[in-house]
């Protein structure tokens, strides 16, 4: 026979079914997560070349971080060359040397404090990556490619000094100065813009060489400033 309580019996059964289904789905999700955690990536026979690539990548990353830290330190005396577009340089909207050059050269170079800050950053990176400091310096020199990028002369000179190669640092400065003397001879023929009061084709064609020359000359001046400070 029917009862007035029959309608109250169905609701608890539905709730139990829903809760059971919820626990079942949650258990399935947990089981899926457990399966994923139980499958670590393991290569039993790792090729030796892969280990060499890994070591190489670690060296490159450490050298790049050291160069960024070195750029931060060098920027305090405008040692980082600023790239300027040829359009701005042709319109004479950019100074040939940094605006703070006079303030930098007026004060003496604190070579001891400069080298100590660089050594501190180098030692911290060597400890963090677990590699020798000399390896970081050698890799940084390789990344710079100073033979193709003479504008970063201050970087190369400081790296050679950190490696204890003062003779090579002097060779870098000497070669850069000699290259400027030999390549700047034709610039005298392109100064007719001063006489004609207009930009002639000779002056326009020499803009790239002028921009590079002004950057390298400032780098050479900073190297002499560092040398006078005892670096």
């Amino acid at each position: 026979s029917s009862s007035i309580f029959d309608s109250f019996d169905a609701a608890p059964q539905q709730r139990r079914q829903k809760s059971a289904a919820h626990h079942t789905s949650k258990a399935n999700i947990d089981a899926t997560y457990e399966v994923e955690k139980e499958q670590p990536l393991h290569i039993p026979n790792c090729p030796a070349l892969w280990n060499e690539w890994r070591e190489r990548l670690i060296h490159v990353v450490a050298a790049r971080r050291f160069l960024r830290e070195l750029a931060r330190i060098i920027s305090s005396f405008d040692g980082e060359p600023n790239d300027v577009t040829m359009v701005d340089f042709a319109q004479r909207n950019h100074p040939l040397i940094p605006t703070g050059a006079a303030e930098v050269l007026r004060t003496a170079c604190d070579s001891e404090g400069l080298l100590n800050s660089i050594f501190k950053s180098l030692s911290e990176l060597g400890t963090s990556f677990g590699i020798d400091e000399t390896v970081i310096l050698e890799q940084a020199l390789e990344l710079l490619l100073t033979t193709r990028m003479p504008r970063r002369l201050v970087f190369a000179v400081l790296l050679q000094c950190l490696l204890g190669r003062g003779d090579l640092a002097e060779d870098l400065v000497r070669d850069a100065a000699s290259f400027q003397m030999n390549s700047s001879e034709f610039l005298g023929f392109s100064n007719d813009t001063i006489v004609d009061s207009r930009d002639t084709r000779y002056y326009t064609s020499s803009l790239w060489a002028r921009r590079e020359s002004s950057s390298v000359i400032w780098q050479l001046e900073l190297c002499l400033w560092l040398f006078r400070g005892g670096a």
Side-chain angles (χ1 to χ4, degrees):
S1 63
S2 62
S3 173
I4 59 174
F5 297 102
D6 292 343
S7 59
F8 294 95
D9 296 336
Q13 294 177 0
Q14 292 179 358
R15 284 197 296 269
R16 286 195 297 269
Q17 291 176 357
K18 289 182 179 180
S19 63
H22 177 71
H23 289 303
T24 304
S25 61
K26 185 177 181 180
N28 294 333
I29 294 175
D30 294 339
T32 304
Y33 288 154
E34 291 178 358
V35 171
E36 292 178 355
K37 292 180 180 179
E38 292 175 357
Q39 294 180 354
L41 180 62
H42 177 66
I43 302 177
N45 297 322
C46 182
L49 183 60
W50 289 15
N51 293 327
E52 295 180 5
W53 287 347
R54 176 181 177 274
E55 185 178 0
R56 170 73 175 178
L57 287 175
I58 293 176
H59 294 172
V60 171
V61 170
R64 289 184 180 277
R65 287 188 58 181
F66 175 69
L67 287 176
R68 287 196 295 267
E69 186 64 21
L70 186 61
R72 181 190 65 81
I73 298 173
I74 291 178
S75 63
S76 61
F77 52 88
D78 294 325
E80 172 70 9
N82 296 322
D83 294 329
V84 57
T85 62
M86 191 60 68
V87 176
D88 294 336
F89 189 81
Q91 295 177 355
R92 303 175 183 85
N93 295 331
H94 189 274
L96 295 179
I97 59 176
T99 54
E103 298 179 1
V104 171
L105 300 179
R106 186 182 298 113
T107 58
C109 173
D110 183 14
S111 59
E112 183 178 358
L114 175 65
L115 294 178
N116 287 338
S117 60
I118 296 175
F119 272 122
K120 180 181 178 182
S121 300
L122 181 61
S123 61
E124 290 177 355
L125 283 176
T127 305
S128 176
F129 285 91
I131 56 180
D132 190 22
E133 299 172 0
T134 305
V135 176
I136 299 178
L137 294 175
E138 292 287 356
Q139 185 62 51
L141 274 175
E142 184 177 347
L143 292 175
L144 280 180
L145 294 176
T146 53
T147 56
R148 299 180 183 179
M149 299 179 61
R151 294 188 306 119
R152 300 190 180 274
L153 190 61
V154 176
F155 283 76
V157 168
L158 287 176
L159 289 176
Q160 295 291 3
C161 292
L162 292 174
L163 288 168
R165 304 170 183 171
D167 53 343
L168 294 181
E170 294 179 0
D171 291 341
L172 287 174
V173 175
R174 188 182 300 109
D175 293 342
S178 177
F179 178 78
Q180 286 302 309
M181 293 294 294
N182 296 331
S183 62
S184 299
E185 294 180 355
F186 75 96
L187 293 179
F189 299 99
S190 59
N191 285 331
D192 48 3
T193 180
I194 301 176
V195 179
D196 298 338
S197 299
R198 62 185 180 86
D199 293 342
T200 61
R201 60 179 180 177
Y202 303 104
Y203 176 79
T204 304
S205 62
S206 66
L207 286 176
W208 185 87
R210 290 173 182 272
R211 185 182 64 174
E212 296 300 314
S213 179
S214 61
S215 178
V216 175
I217 288 174
W218 172 241
Q219 295 284 298
L220 290 172
E221 188 65 35
L222 284 179
C223 290
L224 295 178
W225 178 72
L226 292 171
F227 175 76
R228 289 193 299 267

